[in-house]
Amino acid sequence: MNFTKTTEQSSNYEQLEHMSVADLLSNINNEDKTVPIAVEKALPQIETLVTKVVEKMKLGGRLFYIGAGTSGRLGIVDASECPPTFGVPFDLVNGIIAGGDKAIRKAVENAEDNTTQAWIDLHEHNINENDVVIGIAASGTTPYVISGLEQCNENNIITGCITCNDGSPLALTAQFPIVVVVGPEFVTGSSRMKAGTAQKLVLNMISTATMIQLGRVKGNKMVDMQLSNDKLVDRGVRMIMGEIPVDYQKASELLKEFGSVRKAVDNYKK
């Protein structure tokens, strides 16, 4: 098929090696400023997909991200941050990367070109019709991701995608595509830059909006967060103090007794 891979087009800047550090940083920053504007144009697409994710999760479904390289790593980051931030089970949001967990740190040769492995990887999680699978690929041409979504489509599993090339095979395969056109990268083809930033912004929106819709935030506070370090315990204590009339020591006792801000506040008896 014919479509323009804007993520592979030549950079708007020439002779990068002759630029000063100040000029390099300024020019990269100028390019980065365009990313939120590109994401804004995709907000209706993001809204549609988030609505579907929320619907499925209310039925007991889960969310899966699949991707290769930078895209796969970004999905894993977003998935791994949901349990500590929102107190949800570790398997509610899942990140799967081509090549397996070893590919998180080191590229696995030809993993992204495998057209059968994504469905195998999803099957290991007992994927079903209540789940939603979002393929992440800046290029929109990654075989691992496209084939995974094709199999999901055939098995009545809702599919979405995050890509940066309009009209790409991935965008045409996903039932609910999100296309953020960021244009050429500062370093030609280095889609870990603007494209990666765009994907991260969209992932933040998807998981955060979904969790808020599921009641995992109260007011603007992470009342179900996991208390995994002293900083978060202190934050939790102060959140309790802001909700009910107790001092720091009493709030600490309540948090220790009930294990979460929400439960501490809900179980407080004046």
Side-chain angles (χ1 to χ4, degrees), residues 73-87:
R73 295 181 189 102
L74 288 169
I76 289 170
V77 167
D78 193 73
S80 65
E81 289 173 345
C82 286
T85 305
F86 303 108

Side-chain angles (χ1 to χ4, degrees), residues 61-66 94 96 118-134 148 151-153 155-159:
R62 300 162 295 168
L63 173 60
F64 290 85
Y65 300 128
I66 60 172
N94 305 271
I96 297 175
W119 185 241
I120 295 171
D121 293 343
L122 287 167
H123 251 291
E124 290 182 359
H125 294 267
N126 298 312
I127 192 84
N128 64 73
E129 292 182 9
N130 281 334
D131 299 326
V132 177
V133 177
I134 298 177
Q151 287 292 319
C152 289
N153 289 339
N155 286 273
N156 200 32
I157 296 167
I158 285 181
T159 57

Side-chain angles (χ1 to χ4, degrees), residues 31-194:
E31 288 297 302
D32 286 344
K33 290 176 184 176
T34 69
V35 176
I37 297 171
V39 171
E40 183 179 11
K41 294 176 181 177
L43 286 178
Q45 295 178 325
I46 301 170
E47 178 185 0
T48 300
L49 181 52
V50 168
T51 300
K52 290 296 179 181
V53 173
V54 172
E55 287 176 2
K56 286 296 186 179
M57 281 194 170
K58 287 182 176 179
L59 296 173
R62 300 162 295 168
L63 173 60
F64 290 85
Y65 300 128
I66 60 172
T70 297
S71 297
R73 295 181 189 102
L74 288 169
I76 289 170
V77 167
D78 193 73
S80 65
E81 289 173 345
C82 286
T85 305
F86 303 108
V88 296
F90 74 94
D91 59 351
L92 184 66
V93 184
N94 305 271
I96 297 175
I97 186 170
D101 284 355
K102 62 183 177 181
I104 296 172
R105 292 183 177 272
K106 186 176 180 180
V108 175
E109 188 174 358
N110 296 326
E112 72 171 57
D113 299 322
N114 193 310
T115 58
T116 59
Q117 190 62 43
W119 185 241
I120 295 171
D121 293 343
L122 287 167
H123 251 291
E124 290 182 359
H125 294 267
N126 298 312
I127 192 84
N128 64 73
E129 292 182 9
N130 281 334
D131 299 326
V132 177
V133 177
I134 298 177
I136 312 172
S139 67
T141 58
T142 307
Y144 175 89
V145 178
I146 294 169
S147 63
L149 294 200
E150 287 173 344
Q151 287 292 319
C152 289
N153 289 339
E154 291 177 10
N155 286 273
N156 200 32
I157 296 167
I158 285 181
T159 57
C161 76
I162 307 171
T163 183
C164 296
N165 283 311
D166 197 19
S168 68
L170 180 60
L172 296 176
T173 300
Q175 298 164 20
F176 300 98
I178 296 170
V179 183
V180 183
V181 181
V182 295
E185 296 286 3
F186 180 71
V187 175
T188 299
S190 183
S191 56
R192 71 183 184 89
M193 300 185 75
K194 287 193 299 182

